[in-house]
Amino acid sequence: EQGLVALFTALPAYGLARTILSLSLPWLGHSASERLSVEPLKGLVRDHPWVGRPLAVAMLALVGAPGTLGFIGRARILWAAQVNGSLGLVIVALLASGLLSYYYLPLIWALFQKGAKGPASPTPPWSLRLALALAALGLVILGLYPQPLIGLALRVVEMGVMTF
């Protein structure tokens, strides 16, 4: 039961973070299959905060940083695995978090660095800025106050909607 609740807590974190990445990458000129590099991200928080800040929040959530729903989801999954005696799974998940940190932390750092002076990139449309802001707010608000989501997940599991 706790494993399903943990899953229902972690999936929205992953979904919101991936939504931010998938909406931002085309605006940056990247495809989803293309590996993201540091250069296009440099200074994005300062130059385009409506894109840069949500990107930073999404990457932090994917890493599992405290204060984001990604942290709550990962902590609940690790707790459920530990309670069920799956210490190997806990170790593998912690190693995977370390690998994700190795990839995402330089990208997050680049978002806050000073960008190269070049032609100013166009301002993103208001609809993109709104969608990114709402998704990032969801990651942070549910990361700081996860009780409504956890309560909903508990009710779904208790109703037997997801029985195996």
Side-chain angles (χ1 to χ4, degrees), residues 3-161:
L4 284 173
V5 172
L7 181 66
F8 289 146
T9 306
L11 283 177
Y14 182 75
L16 287 171
R18 290 299 304 173
T19 298
I20 291 171
L21 289 174
S22 10
L23 290 174
S24 302
L25 292 180
W27 183 78
L28 290 168
H30 285 277
S31 68
S33 61
E34 190 178 357
R35 184 180 168 105
L36 191 57
S37 64
V38 170
E39 284 306 313
L41 298 179
K42 281 190 176 176
L44 201 57
V45 167
R46 182 179 44 85
D47 298 338
H48 295 289
W50 288 95
V51 175
R53 288 178 185 155
L55 260 175
V57 169
M59 290 181 195
L60 287 169
L62 288 172
V63 168
T68 65
L69 186 57
F71 175 78
I72 300 297
R74 184 155 301 153
R76 290 203 59 99
I77 286 177
L78 292 175
W79 178 77
Q82 184 270 332
V83 165
N84 288 325
S86 302
L87 185 60
L89 179 62
V90 172
I91 292 169
V92 168
L94 290 173
L95 289 173
S97 290
L99 289 174
L100 280 172
S101 298
Y102 180 77
Y103 176 72
Y104 281 115
L105 289 179
L107 297 176
I108 295 167
W109 178 256
L111 289 169
F112 292 94
Q113 288 179 342
K114 191 171 188 175
K117 291 291 182 197
S121 51
T123 303
W126 70 268
S127 55
L128 174 64
R129 293 182 295 194
L130 179 64
L132 294 175
L134 290 175
L137 273 173
L139 284 171
V140 172
I141 290 171
L142 289 172
L144 296 174
Y145 185 64
Q147 250 351 88
L149 180 63
I150 293 169
L152 178 64
L154 274 169
R155 275 182 275 159
V156 168
V157 171
E158 286 171 357
M159 287 174 35
V161 173

